[in-house]
Amino acid sequence: MTMRAKTKSIEDYMALGYPFIVVPFHEDGFVGYRAFLLDIPAVESLGTTPEEALHDLDEAKREWLSFALKKGIAIPEPNVDFPATMAYSGRVTLRISKTLHRQASERAHMDGISLNSYLNEAIRRGIERT
């Protein structure tokens, strides 16, 4: 006699603790926050506050899980290697083209700051834009 593995319920999946991110969001006149699950990109929500976006994310997760279970869609397990759980040294080795290196160095010099400070600021601005 073969034993069948117990199928997880919505509540089982809801309790798994999927990693999420909440970021500022503005598009088409809406200004607020977007929350989404890293492991299930289809699950996202918007809110005027981070708390509202998170509350709505829980509802969106429940709806998506219900849909996936009914349709037999594979539901991924949470990623245990989520970046927020990892240790960070603050050190990154990055290879860039010689031209980009020169341009960034020139801009940093013109701004009177180190290349490291210039690149930190450029990355921060890029992250904020997305």
Side-chain angles (χ1 to χ4, degrees), residues 8 10 18 36 38 41 49 55 57 60 67 75 81 86 92 96 99 110 120-121 123 128:
K8 288 185 181 173
I10 290 175
Y18 284 92
F36 59 96
L38 292 175
T49 65
H55 177 268
L57 182 66
F67 173 80
I75 300 172
D81 294 327
M86 299 168 63
V92 175
I96 59 176
T99 302
M110 290 182 343
N120 264 294
E121 183 65 15
I123 292 168
E128 285 179 354

Side-chain angles (χ1 to χ4, degrees), residues 94-108 115 118-119 122-123:
L94 175 67
R95 300 247 181 249
I96 59 176
S97 71
K98 291 177 183 179
T99 302
L100 185 57
H101 190 173
R102 180 182 47 79
Q103 291 171 334
S105 295
E106 289 170 353
R107 295 255 176 111
L115 178 59
Y118 179 81
L119 292 174
I123 292 168

Side-chain angles (χ1 to χ4, degrees), residues 3 8 13 26-27 30 40-41 62 67-68 74 79 98 109 119 122:
M3 298 287 291
K8 288 185 181 173
Y13 282 107
H26 45 84
E27 188 174 289
F30 176 82
I40 310 174
R62 183 175 296 281
F67 173 80
N79 182 353
K98 291 177 183 179
H109 180 74
L119 292 174

Side-chain angles (χ1 to χ4, degrees), residues 10-59:
I10 290 175
E11 295 311 318
D12 294 331
Y13 282 107
M14 290 294 290
L16 286 180
Y18 284 92
F20 61 87
I21 291 182
V22 180
V23 294
F25 182 82
H26 45 84
E27 188 174 289
D28 297 330
F30 176 82
V31 177
Y33 295 86
R34 175 179 174 245
F36 59 96
L37 298 182
L38 292 175
D39 298 314
I40 310 174
V43 178
E44 67 173 52
S45 66
L46 299 175
T48 55
T49 65
E51 295 78 16
E52 182 182 349
L54 276 176
H55 177 268
D56 292 351
L57 182 66
D58 223 32
E59 291 179 23

